[in-house]
Amino acid sequence: MDGTPDTNGTTTADNGGEFDPREAAALLEQTKREARRQLNLAPPVVTAVMAVVVLAAYTSLWLSVRGQHPYTGPADWAIAVTYGLVFLVIGTVARTTKRAIRGVGGTSRRQLQASTAVLLAAWAAVYLYMGALYHAGASHAIVYGLYPATAPLMIVGLVGAALSGAHEDWRTFGTTLAVAVVAAGSAFAGPVNVWLAMGIGLCVALVASTVANVRLHRA
Amino acid sequence: MTTEELDPLIHVPARLKIIATLAALPAGGTLTFTRLQDMIGLTPGNLITHLRKLEDADYITSVKTGNGVASKTSVALTERGRKALDEYTKALRDLLGGL
């Protein structure tokens, strides 16, 4: 692409007859691949970082609740570690997104804004519901265990899958659906081990997404 | 099939890069002139020349927003342009399959 002579005025620029079809096919594939890479909102490095972060965050939460009898919920230090890691991920994603969407407008920009608003609303709704569970007298194992460990990502994962499916973004659809399935399945591990199950399950899902992402860009 | 049957508007390196890059956006998506230039590495004058040819053929549309220094030009692939690229890709595949 960068080696293609481009400064030779009209001779090369307008004379498609000098443009070998094999070179055209190679240039077409290279351009498509490069465009996908530059416009990708979740490049492989981001999903790889997220895989490490979720494993670290959920493992620290699990370590803080092991041996709790009765179950009271994650320790403050583990919650602080989790929020610190979450903010790290948010910062990374924000930087990457800003770079990818620079100069992009029209339907693409509006779709991204609408999707982001829906996901944030879903996230807020899940935590509001947690308050309702607490006030209804649900046990600590539910309010500070099973529910916060799984419900946010299950709901947001399903919303994300619906949005990405509607946009025919099948890679994101697969990843978000996998997140929702991991969350639903991990709930059966109980209030203590749900944190570890989520950490391992999400890490595997994000590593698989990273590998798929790398293969897509090499295709 | 011969190379003469390939769409001459698209079968030029610079314009092929422009169309293929815009096709990476979903329908209705736009790219500013600056971003497009960064992505495909053409000089501004060269890019303008090729964009005009594509716009004359209704393969792309361009919209200018803002005034003065803050003005921005955005380009998008039209339905006709997307179809033309699909047909070009198929013709290229058929041609190379026959070689």
Side-chain angles (χ1 to χ4, degrees):
Chain A
M1 184 191 293
D2 290 329
T4 305
D6 193 36
T7 56
N8 195 19
T10 56
T11 305
T12 302
D14 291 338
N15 190 350
E18 292 183 1
F19 190 20
D20 185 278
R22 289 185 192 85
E23 285 178 25
L27 181 61
L28 178 59
E29 285 311 306
Q30 187 183 3
T31 304
K32 279 162 58 176
R33 200 166 49 236
E34 183 60 18
R36 275 199 307 260
R37 188 187 69 77
Q38 291 204 37
L39 297 170
N40 190 356
L41 292 176
V45 68
V46 168
T47 50
V49 164
M50 287 171 75
V52 172
V53 164
V54 294
L55 187 61
Y58 276 96
T59 302
S60 68
L61 290 163
W62 173 67
L63 287 171
S64 79
V65 299
R66 271 194 326 165
Q68 281 186 358
H69 295 291
Y71 182 91
T72 53
D76 288 344
W77 68 263
I79 294 172
V81 165
T82 299
Y83 274 110
L85 290 170
V86 164
F87 283 124
L88 173 72
V89 166
I90 288 173
T92 305
V93 168
R95 266 195 307 278
T96 311
T97 302
K98 191 175 170 184
R99 200 162 44 228
I101 65 170
R102 182 177 62 87
V104 174
T107 314
S108 308
R109 179 74 72 137
R110 287 193 295 274
Q111 282 176 355
L112 180 63
Q113 287 167 342
S115 298
T116 303
V118 168
L119 288 167
L120 286 174
W123 193 267
V126 171
Y127 280 102
L128 274 175
Y129 195 79
M130 186 170 148
L133 287 173
Y134 172 78
H135 283 291
S139 69
H140 281 201
I142 302 291
V143 178
Y144 301 118
L146 290 180
Y147 185 81
T150 60
L153 286 178
M154 186 167 60
I155 301 300
V156 170
L158 288 172
V159 170
L163 289 170
S164 51
H167 298 149
E168 296 186 18
D169 176 0
W170 300 117
R171 188 182 59 80
T172 305
F173 173 81
T175 304
T176 47
L177 191 61
V179 165
V181 168
V182 164
S186 296
F188 289 95
V192 171
N193 291 324
V194 66
W195 301 103
L196 185 65
M198 281 291 287
I200 293 172
L202 292 177
C203 182
V204 168
L206 288 167
V207 166
S209 178
T210 303
V211 170
N213 211 345
V214 168
R215 283 195 176 152
L216 177 69
H217 290 299
R218 284 190 186 156
Chain B
M1 178 163 276
T2 63
T3 54
E4 278 74 35
E5 292 175 59
L6 295 173
D7 187 335
L9 264 176
I10 298 179
H11 192 60
V12 168
R15 291 200 288 267
L16 179 57
K17 283 158 70 174
I18 292 169
I19 294 252
T21 298
L22 291 176
L25 295 170
T30 65
L31 266 186
T32 58
F33 179 92
T34 312
R35 182 75 197 272
L36 181 60
Q37 191 202 338
D38 284 345
M39 285 177 75
I40 62 179
L42 291 179
T43 61
N46 213 346
L47 181 56
I48 288 170
T49 302
H50 290 295
L51 287 176
R52 279 204 187 117
K53 288 195 168 139
L54 291 169
E55 194 168 11
D56 288 344
D58 196 29
Y59 282 9
I60 65 164
T61 56
S62 67
V63 174
K64 195 167 180 178
T65 53
N67 293 308
V69 178
S71 69
K72 233 175 11 180
T73 300
S74 296
V75 294
L77 195 63
T78 60
E79 190 64 39
R80 184 179 152 96
R82 207 171 282 270
K83 189 161 176 279
L85 178 62
D86 289 342
E87 287 171 3
Y88 173 84
T89 305
K90 185 179 177 307
L92 196 59
R93 210 172 282 141
D94 290 344
L95 176 65
L96 291 175
L99 287 177

